[in-house]
Amino acid sequence: MPVAVVVTVIIAIWYAAAVGLNAPWAHDKAKRAGQELGLAALVQDTWSQDKPKLPAPHQVGAEIWKTTVQKKITSKRSLVYHGWITLSATLLGFGFGTVFGILLAVGIVYNRTMDMSVMPWVIASQTIPILAIAPMIIVVLNAVGISGLLPKAMISMYLSFFPVVVGMVKGLRSPDRMQLDQMRTWNASAAQTFWRLRLPSSMPYLFTSLKIAMAASLVGAIVGELPTGAVAGLGARLLAGSYYGQTIQIWSALIAAAALAAVLVSLIGVLQRVTLRRMGMQE
Amino acid sequence: MTWLVFAFAVWALGWTVNNWLARLRPNRAITLLVPIIFGATLLGIWEGVVQGLEISPILLPAPTMIAQRTAASVDILWVDFVQTVIKGALSGYVMGCGGAFLIAIAIDRFPFLQRGLLPVGNFVAALPVVGMAPILVMWFGFDWQSKAAIVVVMVFFPMLVNTVQGLQSSTAMQRDLMRTYAAGYWVTLFKLRLPAAMPFVFNGLKIGTTLALIGAIVAEFFGSPIRGMGFRISTSVGQLALDLVWAEIFVAAVAGSAFYGFVALLERRVTFWHPSQRK
């Protein structure tokens, strides 16, 4: 209930802001046509401009409807097509990042030298605004002949490995002394301790960090699409929209990206609930 | 060939030294030294491999080349630094975090808003907010105002969610104790709840530092005056002046780490009582 109210209020503010921001243009047009603009006419005009400063929600909705349902999926104008391109880069990068992150975390937990030397750099690597070098990675990899999905996926990977490393290190270390001692009294080997105790008890941490990693990975893929010369993908739609002042297109790409993020993150949420329940860890 | 041998030697040496150090009884100096040696090793390997395999400087310049370029173009880097970090990122960071902090306190007073805004805030915090950049550039123009605006939007929600969570972190027992002292809302807020919220607040602040720099730089890809780190990076990539790009990245890395380090230091001073800060 409260969520619904808040969302309604946000949409209402959006409509009001659309009137406010688009009013100058509407007044300008009316003045040149030599007309006085009444309140009703003003509202109507501000909500239906071609290239408004802030498109009204229903315009964005109509654009999304037009570019998803009414276009063929293979069409260059279809949002589904662009979304798919972004999604594939996101998932690929997310997969790489997760695997890399887990391996790194295992290394850090089992090797003291790695713990002391790598961990500070893992943290430092995130204080570097890596997204800034995204265009360079793309261009450089392009020069070596790698183009398309992989460069974008690399950026996604870089952004998504960090939460996984931090979460998994915490998770793999979460079994307490008592449990580790118990494994020793059972004469468990290091591998057995890992598979039977450390890995299972790290699962809640893993899923929490996977959610963050997924969101980060999507951001990486979108930003990775910016410098490729606006060919395809949601990021390219954003860039093309900003070049040609197609605000409605920008907003619809933005909403599509938001929806994609929401779906992906909630998918992991479902997976988390199912897994943890089967493992008997759900409280 | 000698360079490759050099790279291998650096790797072997760094690894051995670190292995030896890691086995010693850990103290402050060692925990500081080990990552430094690791970093230096990486740089050495980078230099050796680039020189040894004669990788074109257009693809990957060697560290020494980047260092030369950084030293040679201090004036450009400084102008860009001021434009992007000081004007864009910092001002947006202060406005965004400050605003979110105040609004979080307001939300905290109304349970209804809490239940309504928190899920929405959590949702927005997971969205690719960077995508708002072209829109904000359109609204606020090419100069630093639009960069500050995108930074505000980016840091706002993580900060809001963390602060609200932090304000709820004092236990019922502690709040009851304040009541028995006949403390009113404001006294409780300042003496108990805000201090208790500080670890969470700093968590939000730390997340914000990286986001702020990213936001300011990425927003410049969508249009900027002829200075700024994002502008320099995108134009230098076009000119294949990769050493300048790396110099910018170096500055961004140093600025980002310093920014984060400063907030972390502040955190240590403010939340010295928290278990994670105690030695």
Side-chain angles (χ1 to χ4, degrees):
Chain A
M1 231 313 266
V3 178
V5 173
V6 168
V7 171
T8 318
V9 169
I10 289 177
I11 291 182
I13 293 176
W14 187 346
Y15 268 112
V19 173
L21 278 166
N22 300 334
W25 174 240
H27 279 302
D28 206 32
K29 249 190 332 188
K31 210 157 115 198
R32 266 180 286 161
Q35 306 165 324
E36 263 311 298
L37 214 49
L39 186 64
L42 173 72
V43 168
Q44 215 220 334
D45 185 275
T46 49
W47 287 354
S48 58
Q49 286 174 359
D50 246 1
K51 291 183 176 182
K53 268 193 134 174
L54 176 65
H58 67 260
Q59 286 179 295
V60 179
E63 167 85 7
I64 290 179
W65 175 259
K66 214 171 70 193
T67 48
T68 50
V69 182
Q70 293 180 350
K71 285 266 180 344
K72 261 195 296 191
I73 295 181
T74 47
S75 156
K76 282 264 160 68
R77 288 196 180 164
S78 165
L79 213 51
V80 179
Y81 165 78
H82 291 287
W84 166 247
I85 291 192
T86 306
L87 178 67
S88 47
T90 307
L91 289 182
L92 193 63
F94 173 75
F96 283 156
T98 308
V99 171
F100 181 57
I102 292 177
L103 290 182
L104 207 57
V106 172
I108 286 174
V109 169
Y110 275 92
N111 185 327
R112 227 183 117 62
T113 317
M114 264 187 83
D115 177 24
M116 290 184 75
S117 45
V118 179
M119 200 55 186
W121 286 100
V122 168
I123 294 169
S125 76
Q126 295 302 307
T127 64
I128 299 169
I130 185 67
L131 277 184
I133 70 168
M136 198 190 55
I137 295 177
I138 304 266
V139 170
V140 165
L141 287 182
N142 237 328
V144 223
I146 306 170
S147 61
L149 213 56
L150 212 56
K152 282 188 277 177
M154 300 246 323
I155 295 165
S156 292
M157 177 187 122
Y158 186 95
L159 285 182
S160 58
F161 92 92
F162 171 72
V164 177
V165 173
V166 174
M168 278 305 272
V169 167
K170 224 182 214 169
L172 289 173
R173 282 191 177 145
S174 64
D176 57 30
R177 239 299 94 83
M178 194 91 96
Q179 291 168 314
L180 287 170
D181 281 350
Q182 178 75 79
M183 290 309 272
R184 278 180 69 90
T185 56
W186 282 332
N187 196 21
S189 66
Q192 279 170 326
T193 313
F194 176 75
W195 290 109
R196 307 266 163 96
L197 174 62
R198 284 192 191 264
L199 195 63
S201 43
S202 69
M203 280 305 130
Y205 294 87
L206 177 65
F207 279 109
T208 316
S209 33
L210 283 188
K211 282 188 203 163
I212 306 172
M214 185 58 104
S217 171
L218 183 64
V219 173
I222 290 177
V223 174
E225 281 159 358
L226 294 182
T228 49
V231 187
L234 291 175
R237 290 290 277 184
L238 284 178
L239 196 65
S242 96
Y243 277 164
Y244 303 116
Q246 298 284 1
T247 37
I248 302 181
Q249 183 188 323
I250 301 182
W251 278 96
S252 63
L254 205 56
I255 302 275
L260 204 57
V263 168
L264 290 175
V265 171
S266 52
L267 259 181
I268 296 180
V270 170
L271 205 63
Q272 173 181 29
R273 213 163 315 140
V274 171
T275 316
L276 292 191
R277 186 167 300 149
R278 291 209 55 180
M279 289 172 61
M281 287 174 107
Q282 194 83 348
E283 67 271 19
Chain B
M1 196 58 210
T2 42
W3 276 107
L4 285 182
V5 174
F6 168 75
F8 186 77
V10 166
W11 171 74
L13 185 74
W15 188 251
T16 325
V17 171
N18 266 357
N19 244 333
W20 176 69
L21 279 176
R23 254 182 245 131
L24 296 178
R25 178 189 290 270
N27 62 27
R28 231 187 129 74
I30 288 181
T31 48
L32 211 65
L33 202 60
V34 171
I36 291 177
I37 292 177
F38 181 74
T41 312
L42 281 190
L43 278 183
I45 296 174
W46 179 357
E47 180 82 35
V49 168
V50 168
Q51 301 276 7
L53 298 180
E54 289 176 356
I55 294 173
S56 149
I58 291 172
L59 293 182
L60 187 67
T64 44
M65 207 175 139
I66 298 169
Q68 276 167 12
R69 185 68 195 224
T70 311
S73 44
V74 169
D75 47 341
I76 297 182
L77 294 174
W78 174 250
V79 169
D80 293 346
F81 174 79
V82 169
Q83 170 75 15
T84 305
V85 178
I86 310 271
K87 285 190 188 161
L90 264 185
S91 62
Y93 180 79
V94 170
M95 281 189 277
C97 289
F101 184 74
L102 294 180
I103 290 179
I105 292 176
I107 287 178
D108 185 64
R109 287 209 85 169
F110 305 102
F112 180 82
L113 277 183
Q114 240 176 62
R115 263 176 296 143
L117 265 181
L118 263 198
V120 176
N122 265 320
F123 175 71
V124 176
L127 294 186
V129 190
V130 204
M132 290 278 295
I135 295 161
L136 291 172
V137 169
M138 219 172 270
W139 287 358
F140 293 98
F142 281 171
D143 210 354
W144 63 270
Q145 288 88 346
S146 63
K147 279 73 198 173
I150 185 76
V151 174
V152 168
V153 180
M154 281 181 81
V155 300
F156 186 83
F157 286 99
M159 182 70 187
L160 183 76
V161 172
N162 271 298
T163 312
V164 169
Q165 223 171 15
L167 286 172
Q168 290 163 352
S169 70
S170 54
T171 60
M173 190 83 97
Q174 292 166 329
R175 282 196 293 267
D176 282 351
L177 182 63
M178 290 307 277
R179 279 180 71 89
T180 58
Y181 292 155
Y185 170 78
W186 291 107
V187 177
T188 316
L189 183 69
F190 282 113
K191 301 263 160 161
L192 169 65
R193 306 186 56 209
L194 277 184
M198 276 308 145
F200 292 84
V201 171
F202 272 101
N203 191 24
L205 284 177
K206 283 202 278 195
I207 297 174
T209 54
T210 346
L211 288 179
L213 274 185
I214 289 178
I217 295 178
V218 171
E220 286 180 358
F221 295 159
F222 289 98
S224 68
I226 51 160
R227 55 183 184 277
M229 298 166 99
F231 165 80
R232 196 77 59 199
I233 289 173
S234 55
T235 48
S236 301
V237 164
Q239 299 162 348
L240 288 179
L242 273 246
D243 47 349
L244 186 58
V245 177
W246 278 99
E248 288 285 355
I249 292 168
F250 173 71
V251 173
V254 170
S257 306
F259 194 8
Y260 184 92
F262 175 73
V263 174
L265 200 69
L266 210 63
E267 178 184 27
R268 186 163 293 183
R269 298 300 289 271
V270 174
T271 64
F272 57 89
W273 47 270
H274 195 260
S276 68
Q277 299 292 343
R278 275 193 238 134
K279 296 257 162 55

